[in-house]
Amino acid sequence: MNILVTGGVGYIGSHTCISLLESGHSVIIADNLYNSKRETVEKIKYLTNDNVDFYEIDVTDTQAVDDIFKNNIIDGVIHFAGFKAVGESVKLPLNYYYNNVVSTMVLADACLKYNVNRFVFSSSATVYGNNTVPFSETMDPLPTTNPYGETKSMSERILTDIARANPAFSVSLLRYFNPVGAHESGLIGESPNGIPNNLMPYVTQVAKRKLEKLRIFGNDYPTVDGTGVRDYIHIMDLAEGHVVALNNLTEGVHIYNLGTGKGTSVLELVKAFEVANDITIPYEIVDRRPGDIASCYADVSKAKQELGWIAKRDLIAMCKDAWRFEIKINKN
Ligand code: NAD
Ligand code: UFG
């Protein structure tokens, strides 16, 4: 299939492009490079020995999106493009609602106009709010504590209503848990600008001694050791999950958790990183981070039963691959 991948230069999108190309699909990327670098497009081509069409456009731009649909045969869309920083979304809610929700509407509109009936959407475990773990697709989404989470719930809702009104329109809502790690080559991975918000990139920068020590946000949660528990998933497992979801897409709306089903605490992740890479990670315990929940991990039985997909790579592989990428991209 010819797949339009919005945000395909970003962290999850670039790894998914590799999996798509390796599975025999063709890829057209639309990305405005707001949070990514053009050189990643060349790396995708290099790693797959394949070609990729790249359009540097903003997917909220109706005309630019229409031009892509007009000039290409598109069989499906995977919509990654969006802003994703939870804290920033509290400060800049309008930017988040505009970019994340309008982009979804512009793309869905073009799909209906050009009869493109496969739509895969990047959603988030955030939509479960404070439900009880493990989070299951049967649970109702709860209000989240931030505008970013609301943009995901709203986009899910919009796509669901569109699919109801247009029975041929097939939608897969993929709720990601915590993607970490990098492509095994170490050539592409996650490289946030400035000081990282997320745990794994922070840990790799402490390992590199670019940052002095990790600050662990709270050790008084009701978890195994008091630190926050998350479901970390290797980025390549997540990427492969997209290909499987796309290949199995049938009419209607399908929601899948993409996680491992296993919760790992912050201290357990730090220990795994130290063992995997033989590096000590200095840390201190500080106050809880506002908005954090104690535990977040997936019930992964639906993706296994319906798609035959499970995450294969373990925490040690995630830590090794994250570190290999950090060494390769930041030699100094
Ligand atoms: P990323 O920032 O690395 O990638 C997003 C890409 O979209 C970037 O290349 C950026 O330049 C592009 N982009 C943003 N707005 C755009 C626009 N209007 N037009 C064109 N391109 C635009 O983020 P990521 O981690 O790869 O996340 C991809 C998607 O998955 C996002 O929608 C994010 O909300 C969602 N998600 C991410 C996580 C996570 O932990 N990384 C978890 C759950 C959901
Ligand atoms: N943490 C620290 N110190 C840090 C960074 C994080 O202790 O410097 C802790 C957090 O308190 C949390 C855990 O590490 O307990 C994971 O935090 P992340 O910031 O890496 O990830 P979150 O679970 O907060 O959120 C991420 C993405 C969201 C996405 C969500 C889905 O940032 O966009 O996963 O589960 F919605």
Side-chain angles (χ1 to χ4, degrees):
M1 290 190 270
N2 287 327
I3 306 301
L4 174 63
V5 183
T6 75
V9 194
Y11 176 46
I12 308 174
S14 58
H15 292 79
T16 302
C17 285
I18 290 179
S19 288
L20 286 166
L21 291 161
E22 285 176 344
S23 312
H25 295 294
S26 299
V27 164
I28 300 161
I29 295 178
D31 196 307
N32 62 2
L33 303 180
Y34 173 83
N35 195 34
S36 49
K37 297 192 181 78
R38 180 183 292 270
E39 66 193 38
T40 301
V41 178
E42 298 312 312
K43 290 182 184 172
I44 295 169
K45 291 183 191 168
Y46 171 77
L47 287 169
T48 57
N49 199 18
D50 214 328
N51 195 33
V52 168
D53 287 331
F54 172 57
Y55 292 87
E56 187 177 340
I57 62 136
D58 191 309
V59 293
T60 63
D61 179 340
T62 312
Q63 190 56 54
V65 168
D66 193 272
D67 285 346
I68 294 181
F69 278 77
K70 192 163 55 199
N71 295 322
N72 294 276
I73 295 165
I74 295 172
D75 300 302
V77 173
I78 307 184
H79 180 31
F80 292 103
F83 296 154
K84 63 165 181 175
V86 172
E88 185 183 63
S89 78
V90 177
K91 291 186 193 123
L92 302 171
L94 186 55
N95 299 35
Y96 272 70
Y97 284 112
Y98 189 84
N99 198 46
N100 292 6
V101 180
V102 172
S103 62
T104 303
M105 293 197 292
V106 168
L107 280 164
D109 188 42
C111 283
L112 296 182
K113 180 173 171 190
Y114 289 93
N115 278 323
V116 176
N117 285 324
R118 294 182 188 86
F119 199 106
V120 176
F121 177 65
S122 291
S123 190
S124 168
T126 290
V127 301
Y128 290 112
N130 229 340
N131 269 298
T132 309
V133 284
F135 295 150
S136 153
E137 295 90 339
T138 54
M139 291 172 170
D140 283 333
L142 289 180
T144 63
T145 50
N146 57 80
Y148 165 74
E150 292 307 303
T151 69
K152 293 297 172 188
S153 294
M154 281 182 190
S155 294
E156 284 197 358
R157 180 81 234 163
I158 290 166
L159 291 167
T160 301
D161 288 343
I162 294 171
R164 280 205 187 117
N166 300 272
F169 194 57
S170 315
V171 177
S172 192
L173 305 174
L174 301 182
R175 293 178 178 164
Y176 312 152
F177 282 71
N178 289 53
V180 294
H183 187 261
E184 285 83 353
S185 66
L187 284 181
I188 60 166
E190 185 177 21
S191 45
N193 296 327
I195 297 183
N197 290 308
N198 295 118
L199 181 60
M200 185 65 96
Y202 204 105
V203 167
T204 59
Q205 295 202 13
V206 172
K208 199 79 203 290
R209 308 300 182 226
K210 276 161 60 182
L211 295 169
E212 190 196 341
K213 58 185 160 187
L214 173 68
R215 293 177 312 134
I216 295 183
F217 299 135
N219 67 348
D220 56 354
Y221 285 107
T223 61
V224 59
D225 54 23
T227 64
V229 164
R230 297 291 183 273
D231 185 340
Y232 298 96
I233 173 171
H234 194 292
I235 185 69
M236 289 310 297
D237 278 325
L238 186 65
E240 288 158 17
H242 286 77
V243 179
V244 175
L246 180 75
N247 289 347
N248 286 282
L249 197 50
T250 53
E251 284 171 13
V253 178
H254 308 276
I255 305 176
Y256 294 108
N257 288 338
L258 296 185
T260 62
K262 193 174 171 304
T264 301
S265 74
V266 178
L267 283 172
E268 286 171 337
L269 185 135
V270 168
K271 179 53 72 189
F273 190 93
E274 291 183 328
V275 169
N277 298 310
D278 197 19
I279 297 171
T280 306
I281 302 296
Y283 67 82
E284 63 176 332
I285 307 289
V286 299
D287 287 346
R288 290 181 177 193
R289 183 171 65 178
D292 272 357
I293 56 173
S295 292
C296 172
Y297 54 91
D299 175 340
V300 291
S301 52
K302 189 178 177 203
K304 186 177 176 193
Q305 272 160 21
E306 293 190 8
L307 303 174
W309 175 88
I310 49 164
K312 299 190 202 100
R313 296 157 179 91
D314 65 11
L315 195 58
I316 294 292
M318 299 179 213
C319 293
K320 282 190 170 167
D321 291 338
W323 180 229
R324 188 182 302 112
F325 174 68
E326 178 67 38
I327 298 170
K328 278 210 179 181
I329 52 152
N330 291 312
K331 291 225 167 68
N332 302 313

